[in-house]
Amino acid sequence: MFNIVHKEMLSSNIVLFDVEAPLVAKNALPGQFLIVRADERGERIPLTICDNDPVKGTVTLVIQTVGAETQRMADKLNEGDCFADIAGPLGNPSELTDMDEEELKSKKILFIAGGLGTAPVYAQLKWLAGKGVMADCIQGARTKDILILVDEMKAVCGNLYLATDDGSEGIHGNVTTALQKLWDEGKRYDLCIVIGPMIMMKFACILTKELGIRTIVSMNTIMVDGTGMCGACRLLVDGKVRFACVDGPEFDGHLVDFDSALQRARLYATQEGRLLLKYREGESHHGGCGVCKD
Amino acid sequence: MAADMMKKIPVREQEASLRAHNFKEVCLGYNKEEAENEAARCLNCKKPGCVEGCPVSIDIPGFISRIKEDDIEGAYKVLSSASALPAVCGRVCPQETQCEGRCIRGIKGEAVSIGKLERYAADRARELGLKPVRENEENGIRVAVIGSGPAGLTCAGDLARMGYDVTVYEALHKAGGVLVYGIPEFRLPKEEVVEKEIENVKALGVRIITDCIIGRTMTVDDLMDREGYEAVFIGTGAGLPRFMGIPGEQALGVFSANEYLTRTNLMQAYDIDSRTPIMVGRSAVVVGGGNVAMDAARCALRLGSDVHIVYRRSEAELPARAEEVHHAKEEGIIFDLLTNPVEIHTDENGWVSGITCIRMELGEPDASGRRSPVEIPGSEFRIDCDMVIMALGTSPNPLIKQTTKGLEVNRRGGIIISEDDAQTSRDGVFAGGDAVTGAATVILAMGAGKAAARGIDEYLKNKHKND
C-alpha cells in the first residue's frame, strides 16, 4: 500500500497527491510514468510523474478528473489514505537524460505544456534546472483558473509564456498561437518538447515541422499493464507499430501518426462516459434514457 | 468398477449451452469414487513412460496408487515434491502430448486420465489444508526470482524447499503471471486454485513483492550489488503481442489477445463490480490457433459475442490443447480453418466492420516440420464482424535485456542460457520459461524453473563450498 502524505486541489478538476513510494522516488527520471490503482476493484491508470523526492521517498502525481476512475480518486482518496498500487517508474527516460551538461547547455530548448501536461513538463524543467539549464516554456490552458503550478514552473524555467484560449491570462490563444508569436518575435529553438492533450501535440507538431524545429512528444495512450505485455498502447511511428510503454512514451513528434492515435484514444470513450455518469448519479440514475442498459 | 477398462472414466462438465454464458469452471473434476475407479486403470508400469513424458518428472504411478488407497496426504506428498502447482497442472497441461501420450493404456484404448487425477489429488489436498514442506534447513542464502508466473513460482518453490531465502519480484499488482492475466477463470479458477497454490509456495518461506518491475523499479545489478542476492532467476515470460501488419490493424475494435485477456482475467472486466472497461462485440473474429486464441475466443463468447476462429493451417496443426478445441466447438465457436486474414475493414467512424480472409492449402513442411500454408489465389471472402482479436504469439519483453549489461539474447530476443545449468551469459544470473524460449506452455516453463533451481543450487553450493 502506498500512503498519501499530501493532497491539494490545483483547480476544480485537477488534484495533486504526494505519495510514499520509495523505490519509484529513488529511480524516477524525467519522461517516465507510473501505473496507479486506487483500490482492489480499481482500473490501472497510467499517470505522469510531476516530481519525486528521493530523500522523503515520495512521488508527486497530478490527476485530472476526466473519467469515473480519476473522479473517484479525487473524491475518495485523502491524506492518510493509500493507493493500492503504484508501479514504476515506467517507460524510457527523456533523451535529455542521456546528454552531458555541456550538450544540454548548448541547446536552445522550448517546452510546450498543455493543461495537465504541465506536470510532466515541470519534472523535466526541474531536472534541467538542477543541471543549471533554464529552458523556455509555453504553458497553455483553456482559461486562467486551470493554469496549474505557475509559480513552481517560473522557478525552474527561463521564460515562462502563459497562453489561454479565452485570453484570461497571458497570450490570447492556444499554444501554437503562442509559438508562432515567439517565432515572429525572432525567438529560435533547436529542440521542442511538447506534452499535453494529443490533439494539442498534433497541431504543435504541424507548426514545429513547418518551422523546422526537432520535436519530441509524450504519448498518453490507453494502457493496461504498462510493462510491455498487453499491447493496448500501440501506435504508428514512421509507419511502424510501436508500444508507448516500452518504446516510448516519448517519440519524434514529426513521425507519430496522430490521426490513428487520436482515433484509438476514443476506444473506451462511450463506456468511460457511462461509468462516469453511473458514478456521479449513483442510484438516482436508472437508465431511463435507454442508452445505458447497465 | 467401471465396465470398460479400455476407456477413461468420463469427467463431469458444466453443460456447453450453460457455460457459454458464465465464467465458472467448465470441468467439474472427479469425485472420490470416480477418481478411485480411474486410478484403478493405472497398470503401475515398471518403466513408466508417463514420468518420462512429464517435464517436471512427477512420480505418476506413485501418486495414482495412493489415490487408489484414498491416501490423499501421500498422493499430495508425491505431487508437491515435484511440482509447485499441481492443481494448476492438472487443469492446463497438454496431457495428451506428455504423460498421457506415453501411457501404455493408450495403445489399445484410452490413456489413464492422469491430469484429472492430479487435479483430484491437489484439490482434495487443498480441502484438507495440506501444505508442501521444506526438505532442508534454512541456509540464509538469498536468491531473487523475477516474475511470479509458472517458471518463477516453480523455481522459487524448489529453492525454498532446498533451504534458500527466496524473494519473488512481480511487475503487476497480483502474483501468478499468465495464470492470473492470461488463462481464464473458467479454465483455472483464480481465488480457489491459483491464489491457494501461491499461498502454498509462500508457506515454504517465499516472499512475493508486487508492483516492482525489474529493469525499471530496480535492475538486475541492483538486486545483486545492493540488495544482497547471490543469484537471480529471470522468468519474465512472454512479451509484446505480435500483429500481422495488414491494413486496418489500428482500427477501433482490434485487440491483441493479451489485452483482451488481461482486461477479462486480471482486471475481471466481466464482473459488474470491476471498474475496468472491455469491449463486447456482436461478432468477433479471433486470429490464431493456440491456447491463447482459444482462451480469447471463449472469453469473447462468454461476454456475449458470436465468435469465429480464423487459423491458417488445418485442424491437425492447431497448437491448442485438444480439450480446449473440443470445448470451444461444443460452446458454439465457429472454426474457419485454412483461412488467413488479409485486410480489416472499418466503418466511417473507424470501428471494425469486417475482415477479408483468403483460403489456404497446405504445401511442403516448413522448418518447424508443419506443412506450411499457401494462399489459394482468388479465394478471398469477407466475414462481417465488429471486433478482431489477434492471438499470433509474442516477442520477448526488452526491459531486462536493455538494463542488464552483458546479458546476451538470441536473434529473436530470447535470453540465451547454458543447457547444463540454465545460467545466462552473466555470472549468477539464470533464466527460463517464455523469456528464453518464446511463447510455450505453463508446464514447459515449470520444467525450466525446476532446471534453473537445480542450476542455482549447484552454483551456490560451489560458491560456498569453502565457507
Side-chain angles (χ1 to χ4, degrees):
Chain A
M1 296 299 248
F2 300 83
N3 287 320
I4 297 166
V5 295
H6 176 67
K7 178 187 181 181
E8 189 181 334
M9 294 304 293
L10 298 181
S11 77
S12 59
N13 67 344
I14 299 179
V15 58
L16 175 150
F17 289 103
D18 287 332
V19 188
E20 277 176 355
L23 282 175
V24 181
K26 185 174 172 190
N27 295 311
L29 285 167
Q32 294 187 295
F33 65 94
L34 302 170
I35 295 272
V36 173
R37 209 165 62 113
D39 58 63
E40 274 311 306
R41 303 304 284 163
E43 194 183 353
R44 291 172 68 93
I45 304 277
L47 290 176
T48 53
I49 302 170
C50 176
D51 202 356
N52 59 310
D53 186 331
V55 180
K56 283 192 198 152
T58 56
V59 285
T60 304
L61 318 173
V62 177
I63 301 172
Q64 186 164 15
T65 55
V66 287
E69 196 64 27
T70 44
Q71 184 71 56
R72 185 187 298 264
M73 285 177 185
D75 293 349
K76 307 226 159 149
L77 294 176
N78 292 301
E79 282 171 25
D81 295 337
C82 295
F83 281 94
D85 303 280
I86 303 254
L90 294 164
N92 297 304
S94 154
E95 63 175 51
L96 298 175
T97 62
D98 292 332
M99 299 178 191
D100 57 31
E101 284 185 27
E102 207 172 312
E103 192 178 357
L104 288 172
K105 281 179 180 156
S106 73
K107 283 200 185 316
K108 291 281 293 170
I109 306 171
L110 174 71
F111 282 86
I112 299 181
L116 195 72
T118 304
V121 163
Y122 172 76
Q124 303 214 14
L125 284 167
K126 187 186 166 197
W127 183 87
L128 282 172
K131 307 258 168 206
V133 178
M134 301 301 268
D136 284 357
C137 181
I138 297 171
Q139 182 184 346
R142 214 164 10 84
T143 183
K144 183 182 171 182
D145 294 342
I146 50 175
L147 276 172
I148 56 170
L149 301 167
V150 173
D151 292 336
E152 288 84 352
M153 292 288 281
K154 275 184 186 153
V156 292
C157 72
N159 297 302
L160 180 67
Y161 305 100
L162 299 175
T164 50
D165 294 357
D166 62 1
S168 54
E169 179 76 61
I171 298 164
H172 188 165
N174 57 29
V175 293
T176 44
T177 318
L179 172 58
Q180 186 68 58
K181 187 167 174 287
L182 294 182
W183 188 267
D184 294 342
E185 287 168 6
K187 293 268 185 194
R188 293 294 180 266
Y189 297 97
D190 311 316
L191 177 64
C192 190
I193 296 162
V194 189
I195 309 180
M198 238 184 245
I199 189 78
M200 179 211 95
M201 295 195 284
K202 174 187 166 172
F203 284 103
C205 284
I206 291 172
L207 179 58
T208 58
K209 197 169 183 186
E210 267 176 43
L211 302 177
I213 313 171
R214 200 171 108 68
T215 303
I216 302 293
V217 294
S218 181
M219 296 303 286
N220 48 339
T221 56
I222 291 170
M223 283 187 190
V224 187
D225 71 297
T227 64
M229 186 269 283
C230 81
C233 64
R234 69 186 194 273
L235 70 160
L236 293 175
V237 181
D238 202 15
K240 297 184 194 74
V241 173
R242 289 284 176 269
F243 299 96
C245 71
V246 292
D247 298 322
E250 299 197 346
F251 295 97
D252 182 333
H254 297 157
L255 299 178
V256 170
D257 179 346
F258 278 105
D259 291 337
S260 73
L262 278 160
Q263 182 178 290
R264 280 188 55 75
R266 297 201 326 259
L267 186 52
Y268 297 104
T270 309
Q271 288 187 57
E272 292 287 359
R274 284 180 191 170
L275 282 170
L276 183 60
L277 209 59
K278 193 172 155 194
Y279 171 73
R280 284 204 181 131
E281 305 195 354
E283 285 307 300
S284 71
H285 186 79
H286 298 295
C289 59
V291 181
C292 24
K293 289 172 202 120
D294 12 279
Chain B
M1 182 56 64
D4 187 353
M5 290 297 276
M6 290 298 141
K7 288 203 160 145
K8 290 180 178 188
I9 302 283
V11 71
R12 285 164 295 117
E13 291 173 347
Q14 231 199 117
E15 206 220 313
S17 61
L18 198 68
R19 70 182 191 239
H21 305 289
N22 69 51
F23 276 81
K24 293 195 195 108
E25 192 168 14
V26 170
C27 175
L28 304 172
Y30 284 147
N31 60 26
K32 181 168 175 288
E33 188 194 353
E34 290 162 341
E36 285 174 8
N37 286 339
E38 182 63 19
R41 294 182 63 233
C42 176
L43 299 169
N44 208 354
C45 305
K46 284 258 173 326
K47 269 193 70 182
C50 53
V51 179
E52 285 169 31
C54 174
V56 296
S57 310
I58 293 172
D59 172 10
I60 292 165
F63 91 78
I64 292 182
S65 65
R66 285 170 178 84
I67 293 178
K68 253 183 265 183
E69 295 151 12
D70 194 28
D71 173 12
I72 298 302
E73 200 172 339
Y76 181 68
K77 214 167 165 186
V78 172
L79 283 174
S80 64
S81 69
S83 166
L85 311 166
V88 171
C89 292
R91 289 172 164 84
V92 305
C93 271
Q95 286 95 4
E96 69 271 18
T97 60
Q98 296 175 358
C99 52
E100 294 181 23
R102 306 280 198 93
C103 177
I104 291 288
R105 280 271 181 210
I107 297 173
K108 285 191 180 160
E110 289 178 359
V112 173
S113 204
I114 299 168
K116 300 288 180 286
L117 289 173
E118 181 183 21
R119 167 190 165 140
Y120 167 78
D123 286 359
R124 284 287 309 279
R126 188 175 62 244
E127 288 157 18
L128 296 171
L130 302 179
K131 299 266 171 205
V133 284
R134 271 180 185 265
E135 287 156 6
N136 297 324
E137 294 277 298
E138 292 175 31
N139 62 25
I141 300 174
R142 302 182 68 213
V143 180
V145 167
I146 309 172
S148 66
L153 289 174
T154 299
C155 187
D158 278 16
L159 287 168
R161 237 195 304 271
M162 294 173 196
Y164 293 95
D165 178 358
V166 186
T167 305
V168 179
Y169 290 91
E170 167 56 47
L172 295 174
H173 57 265
K174 211 178 215 165
V178 73
L179 307 177
V180 298
Y181 77 72
I183 303 176
E185 179 76 17
F186 55 82
R187 211 146 76 73
L188 183 62
K190 307 301 162 222
E191 229 178 280
E192 308 95 280
V193 178
V194 181
E195 282 179 23
K196 295 296 185 317
E197 299 256 66
I198 292 172
E199 287 305 320
N200 285 345
V201 174
K202 285 190 188 165
L204 290 165
V206 172
R207 285 197 305 155
I208 302 182
I209 297 177
T210 52
D211 290 327
C212 189
I213 304 102
I214 303 301
R216 289 283 181 234
T217 316
M218 285 198 277
T219 62
V220 169
D221 290 295
D222 288 339
L223 293 175
M224 300 192 84
D225 302 342
R226 213 177 64 199
E227 303 290 320
Y229 294 105
E230 297 192 34
V232 172
F233 173 73
I234 305 172
T236 47
L240 289 156
R242 291 208 189 96
F243 290 90
M244 295 189 75
I246 58 172
E249 251 178 336
Q250 286 293 107
L252 293 170
V254 181
F255 300 88
S256 74
N258 275 10
E259 178 185 354
Y260 206 75
L261 289 171
T262 303
R263 286 180 185 275
T264 312
N265 304 321
L266 176 72
M267 306 311 294
Q268 295 174 302
Y270 62 85
D271 182 341
I272 191 90
D273 290 331
S274 167
R275 306 203 295 267
T276 298
I278 192 159
M279 177 173 168
V280 179
R282 283 185 305 282
S283 176
V285 167
V286 178
V287 184
N291 285 319
V292 173
M294 300 304 137
D295 286 346
R298 295 170 72 198
C299 282
L301 179 87
R302 282 161 172 75
L303 286 165
S305 302
D306 293 331
V307 184
H308 284 249
I309 283 180
V310 167
Y311 177 59
R312 62 196 182 128
R313 290 181 160 99
S314 72
E315 173 136 16
E317 286 82 17
L318 279 169
R321 218 171 153 246
E323 190 179 2
E324 308 313 325
V325 176
H326 171 70
H327 280 158
K329 283 185 179 168
E330 276 185 348
E331 289 164 11
I333 286 167
I334 300 154
F335 282 70
D336 294 294
L337 301 167
L338 288 166
T339 299
N340 208 28
V342 288
E343 183 177 358
I344 296 165
H345 307 283
T346 54
D347 66 14
E348 64 280 11
N349 295 315
W351 290 88
V352 171
S353 60
I355 187 165
T356 293
C357 298
I358 189 163
R359 301 276 184 210
M360 312 290 278
E361 58 189 351
L362 291 180
E364 296 300 308
D366 64 9
S368 71
R370 292 185 299 182
R371 292 174 66 194
S372 56
V374 185
E375 290 182 356
I376 302 172
S379 66
E380 289 89 346
F381 67 103
R382 180 181 159 127
I383 305 173
D384 286 329
C385 63
D386 53 4
M387 199 163 92
V388 175
I389 301 175
M390 294 291 182
L392 306 163
T394 57
S395 42
N397 187 310
L399 283 188
I400 291 204
K401 189 228 166 271
Q402 281 169 4
T403 54
T404 311
K405 278 206 188 83
L407 186 74
E408 283 172 24
V409 300
N410 63 26
R411 202 166 36 83
R412 294 183 313 273
I415 299 170
I416 298 172
I417 58 169
S418 141
E419 270 181 37
D420 305 335
D421 64 354
Q423 191 159 199
T424 67
S425 54
R426 280 281 306 266
D427 186 52
V429 180
F430 298 73
D434 286 5
V436 169
T437 56
T441 59
V442 166
I443 188 66
L444 288 174
M446 290 178 61
K450 214 172 175 53
R454 281 195 300 271
I456 290 170
D457 182 42
E458 271 171 45
Y459 169 83
L460 291 173
K461 276 198 177 125
N462 200 29
K463 193 177 160 192
H464 286 274
K465 69 174 176 233
N466 298 323
D467 287 5

